Amino acid sequence: MNTTKQKLYIEYPLATKSPGLVWEQIGTVHGLGRWLADYVEDVGDDVISFTWGEVWTDHHTLEARVVERQRNSYIRLQWVNEEDPEAYWEMRIGRSDLTDELFLHVSDYALPEDIDDLHDLWDGNMERLHRVSGL
């Protein structure tokens, strides 16, 4: 069985021309809590806790360390329990030279058999981002 993770790269168009508006959703704990997980909190030392489901019942919590970030540009995180030192997930704001439209470039890693599920997960995340923010 192949245990080497593959990189997934997806580009999503955004309905704004303001990198600052996008950054508020992808680069802040409050913004991430609006669309990426049910509960998001800063636990200190550049570690963010993500919880899916209600904390008093069935839920799943993961912590990610912020590896790099540049305001209004990108945020790169790595799951605290990640065994592959090369695996991370990143959201990067890009702009089309031709149309001046903004895009969200998502990079993530998964085992080959999980790539399709990861792609579907990000599609769902982006649908929630659009629904809650209009981006």
Side-chain angles (χ1 to χ4, degrees):
M1 181 169 181
N2 188 355
T3 58
T4 303
K5 291 189 173 183
Q6 291 181 349
K7 186 175 185 179
L8 172 69
Y9 179 80
I10 317 168
E11 186 177 277
Y12 296 99
L14 297 171
T16 182
K17 293 190 186 271
S18 170
L21 289 176
V22 180
W23 180 255
E24 287 300 315
Q25 300 303 313
I26 70 166
T28 68
V29 170
H30 173 73
L32 291 168
R34 294 186 67 208
W35 66 279
L36 193 60
D38 296 311
Y39 299 97
V40 179
E41 76 176 306
D42 182 347
V43 294
D45 293 329
D46 269 340
V47 174
I48 300 172
S49 173
F50 296 86
T51 300
W52 294 269
E54 299 298 341
V55 292
W56 59 84
T57 183
D58 190 25
H59 68 278
H60 182 67
T61 300
L62 291 173
E63 291 184 342
R65 180 170 310 286
V66 177
V67 178
E68 292 179 45
R69 79 175 118 211
Q70 183 177 343
R71 185 173 179 79
N72 296 335
S73 181
Y74 71 95
I75 185 166
R76 179 179 289 186
L77 304 105
Q78 186 175 46
W79 297 116
V80 170
N81 61 354
E82 178 60 62
E83 294 177 10
D84 183 344
E86 301 297 314
Y88 61 86
W89 52 288
E90 177 180 276
M91 295 174 285
R92 183 175 292 266
I93 303 166
R95 186 180 300 274
S96 167
D97 292 335
L98 193 59
T99 64
D100 201 39
E101 292 178 327
L102 290 183
F103 291 87
L104 189 64
H105 305 277
V106 174
S107 300
D108 204 344
Y109 286 80
L111 295 172
E113 62 270 18
D114 296 331
I115 285 286
D116 288 342
D117 290 340
L118 184 61
H119 194 288
D120 292 345
L121 177 71
W122 277 109
D123 285 350
N125 288 339
M126 292 306 297
E127 286 177 23
R128 275 190 305 286
L129 175 63
H130 180 71
R131 191 171 53 246
V132 303
S133 69
L135 293 179

